[in-house]
Amino acid sequence: MTSNRSIYIAIIGLMLGMFLAMLDNLMLGTALPTIVGELGGINRLSWVVTAYTLATAAATPIWGKLGDLFGRKGMFMASIVIFLIGSMLSGLSQNINELIGFRAVQGLGAGGLMVGAFAIIGDLVPPRERGRFQAIIGGMMPIAFVGGPLLGGFLTDSLSWRWAFYVNVPLGAVALLVTGLGMHLHTPHIKAKIDYWGALLLTVGIVALTLVASWGGTEYPWASTQIIGLAVLSIVALAGFVYVEGRVPEPILPLRLFRDRNFTLAQILSFLVGAAMFGAVNFLPQYMQDVQGASATASGLLLLPLMFGMLVVMLTVGQLIMRNGRYRIYPILGGAALTAGMLLMLLLQVGTSTVEASALTLVAGLGMGFIMQNTTLITQNSVELRDMGAASGSVTLFRTIGGSLGIALLGSIFTSRLENTLSGRLGEKAGHSIASGGVHVTPSMLKSLPVAVQDAFKSGITSGLHGTMIGGAVLAFLGFVIAWFIREVPLRGGPGTTPSAEPVPEVLAEPVI
């Protein structure tokens, strides 16, 4: 009885830590329009999210190895502290560049929250019991996805956007207290070698590629020295990463895993869906608040069809797969639904009714639900049990990198179309000034501007959103094509597998950060 109580106390601490990472990005979505309006720099809006996801991707494998070396409990608590420091600094930011930098600090901590929590569950709970505890953690997803945008909007409207960061502090303090006092972990430390070169080369390659996607055609011409130089740096760094991963004893990403066809396809699918999903979720609140005139809280409510659609499909598909073991059809359906959902949102116009605008997000949510957890399932089912940790980390890494690149590329499209529309309506100087943040325009301030400026700004935001949805539709369609090449390999523990094989973990809604 005591043992079970201790495990549940430890799980509560882990849940709070993971909840911090999940909730933060979801709260930020509805606060972003006010943030960029107050701090300026709508052209750098995407980097507020990209800095976080890039730092998370780079830090995740390092935290995993540090946990092996120095103890997982200590490293989990250290990651909470770093996350909270980043949260406080983000809330105190005085300009957009400071916020981007402090969001990167948050991301460094978030990487340890996710990998640490799952590793500690592996230490605390025997394989046969993990499904029960993973289901408890999976239950946080509906709360975070539904409550995050609403809480972020409510804090922005009632207090300040800064409280979307400050609210992490009491939650994190409780997580630290519960983890420190209630978690008793006796894990032998092992001699693990950290793949520093792999982490460095991967980070440099992805950051350079993200800058190419973000700056190309906006900050600098595509044929400029800066863009070409960054592209070359990215290619060299990523080639170096592949070289290093084939030679270090404990690589971040074991290349042998890619010999399996389904594993490789699942990583590509995860990358594409991550790119499309981040674009949809992060630019829709801008439309809802600036064009529809919704408050930050109301914009969270308006995204509920997308969130509920995703969650209902994830839960339903999870049950269907557990019953019949078939999964190949769902990524195909998801690719088709996500492509259609992105194209449907091209119907969003300045004059679209609020109810219709909200309803149009539903189909994209359904598509995300079909794909999200299945990429993890296919990945885990494609590797030996000894590689389960590396494989699970891989699918999260590819989704995170896809999200970083996707929001940078789609953000560049958004900014370019916004500035072109504003310049055409108000003149080049005024258009550039508003788009670059020289003139600060929050959703509440927009209503006090002249009608001509309001109309131009709303048209620009709508045009920018259309650009991101076209880009998202292309990415989703590529995912649809890739999904057709996945093979229906029997799940371990199901028909056609040996009885001694350990079942793959239950199909869960994997946390998204």
Side-chain angles (χ1 to χ4, degrees), residues 203-255:
T203 303
V204 170
I206 296 303
V207 169
L209 188 58
T210 303
L211 288 172
V212 170
S214 180
W215 287 350
T218 54
E219 296 286 330
Y220 305 101
W222 284 105
S224 66
T225 304
Q226 291 89 340
I227 297 300
I228 293 174
L230 284 169
V232 171
L233 175 62
S234 177
I235 292 170
V236 171
L238 293 176
F241 171 73
V242 172
Y243 177 83
V244 167
E245 294 305 277
R247 286 158 179 77
V248 295
E250 295 185 43
I252 290 173
L253 193 60
L255 299 181

Coordinates of all heavy atoms in Angstrom, one line a residue, residues 203-255:
T203 N 21.9 21.0 -33.8 CA 21.4 22.4 -33.4 C 21.8 23.4 -34.5 O 21.0 24.2 -34.9 CB 21.9 22.8 -32.0 OG1 21.5 21.8 -31.1 CG2 21.3 24.1 -31.6
V204 N 23.1 23.4 -34.8 CA 23.6 24.4 -35.8 C 22.9 24.2 -37.1 O 22.5 25.2 -37.8 CB 25.1 24.3 -36.0 CG1 25.6 25.1 -37.2 CG2 25.8 24.7 -34.7
G205 N 22.8 22.9 -37.6 CA 22.1 22.7 -38.9 C 20.7 23.1 -38.9 O 20.2 23.7 -39.9
I206 N 19.9 22.8 -37.8 CA 18.5 23.1 -37.8 C 18.3 24.6 -37.6 O 17.4 25.2 -38.3 CB 17.8 22.3 -36.7 CG1 17.9 20.9 -36.9 CG2 16.3 22.8 -36.6 CD1 17.3 20.4 -38.3
V207 N 19.1 25.3 -36.8 CA 19.0 26.7 -36.6 C 19.3 27.4 -37.9 O 18.5 28.4 -38.3 CB 19.9 27.3 -35.5 CG1 20.0 28.8 -35.5 CG2 19.4 26.8 -34.1
A208 N 20.3 27.0 -38.6 CA 20.7 27.7 -39.9 C 19.6 27.4 -40.9 O 19.2 28.4 -41.7 CB 22.0 27.1 -40.4
L209 N 19.0 26.2 -41.0 CA 18.0 25.9 -41.9 C 16.7 26.7 -41.6 O 16.0 27.2 -42.5 CB 17.7 24.4 -41.9 CG 16.7 23.9 -43.0 CD1 17.2 24.2 -44.4 CD2 16.5 22.4 -42.8
T210 N 16.4 26.9 -40.3 CA 15.3 27.6 -39.9 C 15.4 29.1 -40.2 O 14.4 29.8 -40.7 CB 15.1 27.5 -38.3 OG1 14.9 26.1 -38.0 CG2 13.8 28.3 -37.9
L211 N 16.6 29.6 -40.1 CA 16.9 31.0 -40.5 C 16.7 31.2 -42.0 O 16.2 32.2 -42.5 CB 18.3 31.4 -40.1 CG 18.5 31.7 -38.6 CD1 20.0 31.9 -38.3 CD2 17.7 32.8 -38.1
V212 N 17.1 30.2 -42.8 CA 16.9 30.3 -44.2 C 15.4 30.3 -44.5 O 14.9 31.2 -45.3 CB 17.5 29.0 -44.9 CG1 17.1 29.0 -46.4 CG2 19.0 29.1 -44.9
A213 N 14.6 29.5 -43.9 CA 13.2 29.4 -44.1 C 12.5 30.7 -43.6 O 11.6 31.2 -44.2 CB 12.6 28.3 -43.3
S214 N 13.0 31.3 -42.5 CA 12.4 32.5 -42.0 C 12.8 33.8 -42.7 O 12.0 34.7 -42.9 CB 12.8 32.6 -40.5 OG 12.2 33.8 -39.9
W215 N 14.1 33.9 -43.1 CA 14.6 35.1 -43.7 C 14.6 35.2 -45.2 O 14.6 36.3 -45.8 CB 16.1 35.4 -43.2 CG 16.2 35.7 -41.8 CD1 15.2 36.1 -40.9 CD2 17.4 35.8 -41.0 NE1 15.7 36.4 -39.7 CE2 17.1 36.2 -39.7 CE3 18.8 35.6 -41.3 CZ2 18.0 36.4 -38.7 CZ3 19.7 35.8 -40.3 CH2 19.4 36.2 -39.0
G216 N 14.6 34.0 -45.8 CA 14.6 34.0 -47.3 C 13.4 34.7 -47.9 O 12.3 34.3 -47.6
G217 N 13.7 35.7 -48.8 CA 12.6 36.4 -49.5 C 12.0 37.5 -48.7 O 11.2 38.2 -49.2
T218 N 12.3 37.6 -47.4 CA 11.8 38.7 -46.5 C 12.9 39.6 -46.0 O 13.1 40.7 -46.5 CB 11.0 38.1 -45.4 OG1 11.8 37.2 -44.6 CG2 9.7 37.4 -45.8
E219 N 13.7 39.1 -45.1 CA 14.9 39.9 -44.6 C 15.9 40.1 -45.7 O 16.5 41.1 -45.8 CB 15.5 39.2 -43.4 CG 14.5 39.2 -42.2 CD 14.3 40.5 -41.5 OE1 15.3 41.3 -41.5 OE2 13.2 40.7 -40.9
Y220 N 16.2 39.0 -46.4 CA 17.2 39.0 -47.5 C 16.7 38.3 -48.7 O 15.9 37.3 -48.6 CB 18.5 38.3 -47.0 CG 19.1 38.8 -45.7 CD1 18.8 38.1 -44.5 CD2 19.8 39.9 -45.7 CE1 19.4 38.6 -43.3 CE2 20.4 40.4 -44.5 CZ 20.1 39.8 -43.3 OH 20.7 40.2 -42.1
P221 N 17.2 38.7 -49.9 CA 16.8 37.9 -51.1 C 17.3 36.5 -51.1 O 18.3 36.2 -50.4 CB 17.5 38.7 -52.2 CG 17.8 40.1 -51.6 CD 18.0 39.8 -50.2
W222 N 16.6 35.6 -51.8 CA 17.0 34.2 -51.7 C 18.4 34.0 -52.3 O 19.1 33.1 -51.8 CB 16.0 33.4 -52.6 CG 14.7 33.1 -51.8 CD1 13.5 33.7 -52.1 CD2 14.4 32.2 -50.8 NE1 12.5 33.3 -51.2 CE2 13.1 32.3 -50.4 CE3 15.2 31.3 -50.0 CZ2 12.5 31.6 -49.4 CZ3 14.7 30.6 -49.0 CH2 13.3 30.7 -48.7
A223 N 18.8 34.8 -53.2 CA 20.1 34.6 -53.8 C 21.2 35.4 -53.1 O 22.3 35.5 -53.5 CB 20.1 35.0 -55.3
S224 N 20.9 36.0 -51.9 CA 21.8 36.8 -51.2 C 22.9 36.0 -50.6 O 22.8 34.8 -50.3 CB 21.1 37.6 -50.1 OG 20.6 36.8 -49.1
T225 N 24.0 36.6 -50.2 CA 25.2 35.9 -49.6 C 24.7 35.3 -48.3 O 25.1 34.2 -47.9 CB 26.3 36.9 -49.4 OG1 26.7 37.5 -50.6 CG2 27.5 36.2 -48.8
Q226 N 23.9 36.1 -47.5 CA 23.5 35.6 -46.2 C 22.7 34.3 -46.3 O 23.0 33.3 -45.5 CB 22.6 36.7 -45.5 CG 23.4 37.9 -45.1 CD 23.4 39.0 -46.2 OE1 23.2 38.7 -47.4 NE2 23.7 40.2 -45.8
I227 N 21.7 34.3 -47.2 CA 20.9 33.1 -47.3 C 21.7 31.9 -47.8 O 21.6 30.7 -47.3 CB 19.7 33.4 -48.2 CG1 18.8 34.4 -47.5 CG2 18.8 32.1 -48.4 CD1 18.2 34.1 -46.2
I228 N 22.5 32.1 -48.9 CA 23.3 31.0 -49.4 C 24.3 30.5 -48.4 O 24.5 29.3 -48.2 CB 24.0 31.5 -50.7 CG1 23.0 31.8 -51.8 CG2 25.1 30.5 -51.1 CD1 23.6 32.4 -53.0
G229 N 24.9 31.4 -47.6 CA 25.8 31.0 -46.6 C 25.2 30.2 -45.5 O 25.7 29.2 -45.1
L230 N 24.0 30.6 -45.1 CA 23.3 29.8 -44.1 C 22.9 28.4 -44.6 O 22.9 27.4 -43.9 CB 22.0 30.6 -43.6 CG 22.2 31.8 -42.7 CD1 20.9 32.6 -42.6 CD2 22.7 31.3 -41.3
A231 N 22.5 28.4 -45.9 CA 22.1 27.1 -46.5 C 23.3 26.2 -46.5 O 23.2 25.0 -46.2 CB 21.5 27.3 -47.9
V232 N 24.5 26.7 -46.9 CA 25.7 25.9 -47.0 C 26.1 25.4 -45.6 O 26.4 24.2 -45.3 CB 26.9 26.7 -47.6 CG1 28.2 25.9 -47.4 CG2 26.6 27.0 -49.1
L233 N 26.0 26.3 -44.6 CA 26.3 26.0 -43.2 C 25.3 24.8 -42.7 O 25.8 23.9 -42.0 CB 26.1 27.2 -42.3 CG 26.3 27.0 -40.8 CD1 27.7 26.5 -40.5 CD2 26.0 28.2 -40.0
S234 N 24.1 24.9 -43.0 CA 23.1 23.9 -42.6 C 23.5 22.6 -43.2 O 23.5 21.5 -42.6 CB 21.7 24.3 -43.1 OG 20.8 23.3 -42.7
I235 N 23.8 22.6 -44.5 CA 24.1 21.3 -45.2 C 25.3 20.7 -44.6 O 25.4 19.5 -44.3 CB 24.3 21.5 -46.7 CG1 23.0 21.9 -47.4 CG2 24.9 20.3 -47.4 CD1 23.1 22.4 -48.8
V236 N 26.4 21.5 -44.4 CA 27.6 21.0 -43.8 C 27.4 20.4 -42.4 O 27.9 19.3 -42.0 CB 28.7 22.1 -43.8 CG1 29.9 21.6 -43.0 CG2 29.1 22.4 -45.2
A237 N 26.6 21.2 -41.6 CA 26.4 20.8 -40.2 C 25.6 19.5 -40.1 O 25.9 18.6 -39.4 CB 25.7 21.9 -39.4
L238 N 24.5 19.4 -41.0 CA 23.7 18.2 -41.0 C 24.5 17.0 -41.5 O 24.3 15.8 -41.0 CB 22.4 18.4 -41.8 CG 21.5 19.4 -41.1 CD1 20.3 19.7 -42.0 CD2 21.0 18.9 -39.8
A239 N 25.3 17.2 -42.5 CA 26.2 16.1 -43.1 C 27.1 15.6 -42.0 O 27.4 14.4 -41.8 CB 26.9 16.6 -44.3
G240 N 27.7 16.6 -41.2 CA 28.6 16.3 -40.1 C 27.8 15.5 -39.0 O 28.4 14.6 -38.4
F241 N 26.6 15.9 -38.8 CA 25.8 15.2 -37.8 C 25.6 13.7 -38.2 O 25.8 12.8 -37.4 CB 24.4 15.8 -37.7 CG 23.4 15.1 -36.8 CD1 23.5 15.0 -35.5 CD2 22.4 14.4 -37.4 CE1 22.6 14.3 -34.7 CE2 21.4 13.7 -36.7 CZ 21.6 13.7 -35.3
V242 N 25.3 13.4 -39.4 CA 25.1 12.1 -39.9 C 26.4 11.3 -39.8 O 26.4 10.1 -39.3 CB 24.6 12.0 -41.4 CG1 24.7 10.6 -41.9 CG2 23.2 12.6 -41.5
Y243 N 27.5 11.9 -40.1 CA 28.9 11.3 -40.0 C 29.1 10.9 -38.5 O 29.6 9.8 -38.2 CB 29.9 12.3 -40.5 CG 31.3 11.7 -40.4 CD1 31.9 10.9 -41.3 CD2 32.1 12.1 -39.3 CE1 33.2 10.4 -41.2 CE2 33.4 11.6 -39.1 CZ 33.9 10.8 -40.1 OH 35.2 10.3 -40.0
V244 N 28.9 11.9 -37.6 CA 29.2 11.6 -36.2 C 28.3 10.5 -35.6 O 28.7 9.7 -34.9 CB 29.0 13.0 -35.4 CG1 29.0 12.7 -33.9 CG2 30.1 13.9 -35.7
E245 N 27.0 10.6 -36.0 CA 26.1 9.6 -35.5 C 26.4 8.2 -35.8 O 26.1 7.2 -35.1 CB 24.6 9.9 -35.9 CG 24.1 11.2 -35.4 CD 24.1 11.3 -33.9 OE1 23.2 10.8 -33.2 OE2 25.1 11.9 -33.4
G246 N 27.1 8.0 -36.9 CA 27.5 6.6 -37.3 C 28.8 6.1 -36.6 O 29.1 5.0 -36.8
R247 N 29.4 7.0 -35.8 CA 30.7 6.6 -35.2 C 30.7 6.7 -33.7 O 31.6 6.2 -33.1 CB 31.8 7.5 -35.8 CG 32.1 7.0 -37.3 CD 32.8 8.1 -38.1 NE 33.1 7.6 -39.4 CZ 32.1 7.4 -40.4 NH1 30.9 7.8 -40.2 NH2 32.5 7.0 -41.6
V248 N 29.8 7.5 -33.1 CA 29.9 7.6 -31.6 C 29.2 6.4 -31.0 O 28.3 5.8 -31.6 CB 29.2 8.9 -31.1 CG1 30.0 10.1 -31.6 CG2 27.7 9.0 -31.6
P249 N 29.6 6.0 -29.8 CA 29.1 4.8 -29.2 C 27.6 4.9 -28.8 O 26.8 4.0 -28.8 CB 29.9 4.6 -27.9 CG 30.6 5.9 -27.7 CD 30.8 6.5 -29.0
E250 N 27.2 6.1 -28.3 CA 25.8 6.4 -27.9 C 25.2 7.6 -28.6 O 25.2 8.7 -28.1 CB 25.7 6.5 -26.4 CG 26.2 5.3 -25.6 CD 26.0 5.4 -24.1 OE1 24.9 6.0 -23.7 OE2 26.9 5.0 -23.4
P251 N 24.8 7.4 -29.9 CA 24.3 8.6 -30.7 C 23.0 9.1 -30.2 O 22.2 8.3 -29.6 CB 24.2 8.0 -32.1 CG 24.0 6.5 -31.9 CD 24.7 6.2 -30.6
I252 N 22.7 10.4 -30.5 CA 21.4 10.9 -30.2 C 20.4 10.2 -31.0 O 19.3 9.9 -30.6 CB 21.4 12.4 -30.6 CG1 22.3 13.2 -29.6 CG2 20.0 13.0 -30.6 CD1 22.4 14.7 -30.0
L253 N 20.7 9.9 -32.3 CA 19.8 9.3 -33.2 C 20.5 8.1 -33.9 O 21.2 8.3 -34.9 CB 19.3 10.3 -34.3 CG 18.1 10.0 -35.1 CD1 16.9 9.8 -34.3 CD2 17.9 11.1 -36.1
P254 N 20.3 6.9 -33.4 CA 20.9 5.7 -34.0 C 20.5 5.6 -35.5 O 19.3 5.4 -35.8 CB 20.5 4.6 -33.2 CG 20.0 5.2 -31.9 CD 19.5 6.5 -32.2
L255 N 21.5 5.6 -36.4 CA 21.1 5.6 -37.8 C 20.6 4.2 -38.2 O 19.9 4.1 -39.2 CB 22.4 6.0 -38.7 CG 22.9 7.4 -38.4 CD1 24.1 7.6 -39.3 CD2 21.9 8.4 -38.7

